[in-house]
Amino acid sequence: MSKRSIQPSGGNLTMADLARIAGVSKITVSRALSDSPLVNEKTRERVREIARQHGYKLNVSARNLRLRRSQTVAVIVEMKPSADRAMWHPYPLILLGGISQELTSAGYSVVLTTRGSKAPAAQAADGMILLGQGAREDAVHQFDRWHMPMVVWGAPGENEAHITVGSDNRRGGAAAAERFLAMRRHRPLFLGNPDYPELRERLAGFSDALGRHGIEPQVLVLGAFSPDAGYEAVRKLLSKRVRFDAIFAGSDLLAMGAVRALIEAGRRVPEDVSVIGYDDVPMAAQFIPPLSTVSQNWQEGGELLARKVLALIEGQPAQSEMLPSTLVVRAT
């Protein structure tokens, strides 16, 4: 008698019955019916077909209660939305797209919040993805107290126990420096707040590359990431007659504000002052003049964040991963 002809003894078909018919474990049946990537496609389809033949439907609530899981992942965005830095900007929207695509495919729901510890649903999740480490990694330390599987978007921090996914910020900073050196710029300026791990890495790569040529950049620490912050900072420097011939901004928004201040002051970009941003947001290519910037792949980053938190939830090993960053040369 084939396995498919086996029928349960009375009552509705249980997951154990379905596992016996399919010749797999109950957890494999549960994962297959939830479209988990932990089960190969051939097995998923075979289990689903047997379930259809026998009229079996997965009782999600019962499964979650049995596994003591909510089948949710909390995604916490460590940023304060403002008119200049809204939630619909590419960061964090593109990251969220990659995360949601992977988690939904694995049968998980996303709990999205900027409220952190004040969101009970986030604390009840099976795992957490933190977008943004916060200045001095304050956000990481705060959510570490939850003692749940956690993956962080950003730069490797002092606490190597955390799994991080991010772009090669140090290499991105070095690429900006090399571009300025090729343009014979000798008075570079960095705009941004190195209290944030990602910006600290960008500044480190920028400074190291310049230092090999005996050049030390000026550093202007800014508390905000908005175009207005970049505009006001550069406007004040120009009013004080501070000399600089290149600007590396920690974000595209800061760079756009800097370019506006330069043009209003009668400075030519890039003839008088070269400007490079960071992130390669879609509006960077449409900016006038089109903005040179360092690109990072947020879509792939979001997908990796989701895969790694799912692995941690399942008790599987996961490692930090760094994505390449690329200098995109345009008109500035």
Side-chain angles (χ1 to χ4, degrees), residues 15-30:
M15 186 177 292
D17 295 325
L18 185 58
R20 187 170 67 256
I21 295 169
V24 297
S25 67
K26 288 197 297 182
I27 188 63
T28 297
V29 169
S30 176

Side-chain angles (χ1 to χ4, degrees), residues 256-295:
M256 291 174 188
V259 170
R260 182 161 64 94
L262 290 167
I263 292 175
E264 284 187 8
R267 301 294 181 93
R268 297 172 301 166
V269 179
E271 291 84 355
D272 298 326
V273 182
S274 302
V275 180
I276 295 176
Y278 208 103
D279 290 333
D280 195 20
V281 298
M283 68 184 80
Q286 307 303 320
F287 190 68
I288 299 176
L291 184 68
S292 297
T293 182
V294 178
S295 175

Side-chain angles (χ1 to χ4, degrees), residues 88-108:
W88 48 261
H89 276 180
Y91 175 86
L93 198 57
I94 299 176
L95 275 171
L96 289 171
I99 291 169
S100 299
Q101 180 173 309
E102 287 293 316
L103 292 180
T104 301
S105 298
Y108 277 75

Side-chain angles (χ1 to χ4, degrees), residues 6-7 12 33 45-46 48 53 71 125 204 206 208 231 253 259 262 266 290 321-322:
I6 298 175
Q7 297 294 331
N12 294 327
L33 296 179
E45 183 54 40
R46 184 166 64 87
R48 286 197 295 262
Q53 290 178 3
Q71 291 298 114
F206 187 60
D208 289 348
Y231 172 83
L253 298 183
V259 170
L262 290 167
E321 191 162 342
M322 186 179 293

